[in-house]
Amino acid sequence: MSPRTLLLATALALAPALPALAGDIEVQDPYARASTMMSKSGAAFMVLVNTGAEEDRLVSAASDVAERVELHTHEADANGVMRMVEVEEGFAIPAGGSHALKRGADHVMFLGLTRPLAQGDSVTVTLTFEKAGEMVVEIPVDMTRDAMGRPVDAPMQGGDMGPGGPMRPGN
């Protein structure tokens, strides 16, 4: 392999690790998943960081991986049963703050997948912000993350202690 080819390969391998930027918004640690290879829906998760002096808002998302892409959250109904609902007004990202899109909470929802989401693939998603405008993000498909969104082999943090010890997948 030539030095130029090696340099290009290294740069491409590191690209998904770099945060995406638009205006004052940065996307950190994005990943996508579906519950199974045969699922007709999937979701994307990430942390939206606003380094600006004004609040911004994620107002929509689009991708060719699905027939529809919506911003969703989980809400409890009158019986306390959790269900996913669309959040038409989008998600506010406070000035100098962040907003996490995570499992069991706010997320980008892919409805009517046009292809399976397989481990190691990536999904191109266009996020549209009220002030920062459009941002195209390459989101890796990572089916190995635990319910907290951590890679399965990630070390436990001090706050991960439950009554019976560290919280691990399956606990």
Side-chain angles (χ1 to χ4, degrees), residues 1 5 8 26 51 55 57 62 66 76 80 122 125 140 147 152 162:
M1 185 180 292
T5 303
L8 180 59
E26 179 180 317
T51 61
E55 177 181 282
R57 180 175 292 277
S122 68
V125 177
V152 173

Side-chain angles (χ1 to χ4, degrees), residues 29 37 43 63 78 80 95 125 136 152 154 159:
D29 195 28
M37 286 293 292
S63 178
V125 177
V136 177
V152 173

Side-chain angles (χ1 to χ4, degrees), residues 88-108:
E88 293 182 14
E89 68 275 10
F91 306 126
I93 307 123
S98 64
H99 185 90
L101 305 185
K102 58 187 178 181
R103 289 166 63 185
D106 298 342
H107 57 279
V108 174

Side-chain angles (χ1 to χ4, degrees), residues 20-146:
L21 299 167
D24 292 324
I25 302 295
E26 179 180 317
V27 172
Q28 296 178 348
D29 195 28
Y31 74 99
R33 62 178 289 125
S35 55
T36 70
M37 286 293 292
M38 300 305 292
S39 293
K40 292 309 255 173
S41 63
F45 313 97
M46 64 202 78
V47 177
L48 304 172
V49 178
N50 183 353
T51 61
E54 292 184 281
E55 177 181 282
D56 205 341
R57 180 175 292 277
L58 175 63
V59 293
S60 68
S63 178
D64 65 359
V65 77
E67 294 169 9
R68 282 191 349 258
V69 181
E70 298 177 352
L71 303 178
H72 274 207
T73 195
H74 285 80
E75 285 183 353
D77 67 14
N79 298 317
V81 176
M82 296 302 287
R83 61 186 188 96
M84 281 188 283
V85 296
E86 184 177 8
V87 181
E88 293 182 14
E89 68 275 10
F91 306 126
I93 307 123
S98 64
H99 185 90
L101 305 185
K102 58 187 178 181
R103 289 166 63 185
D106 298 342
H107 57 279
V108 174
M109 189 75 195
F110 304 122
L111 300 164
L113 289 174
T114 58
R115 65 178 171 87
L117 297 183
Q119 177 68 24
D121 287 349
S122 68
V123 176
T124 302
V125 177
T126 301
L127 302 174
T128 302
F129 297 90
E130 200 169 65
K131 294 184 175 96
E134 289 188 351
M135 174 192 308
V136 177
V137 184
E138 285 298 317
I139 300 178
V141 175
D142 187 348
M143 305 293 276
T144 65
R145 302 233 184 168
D146 69 12

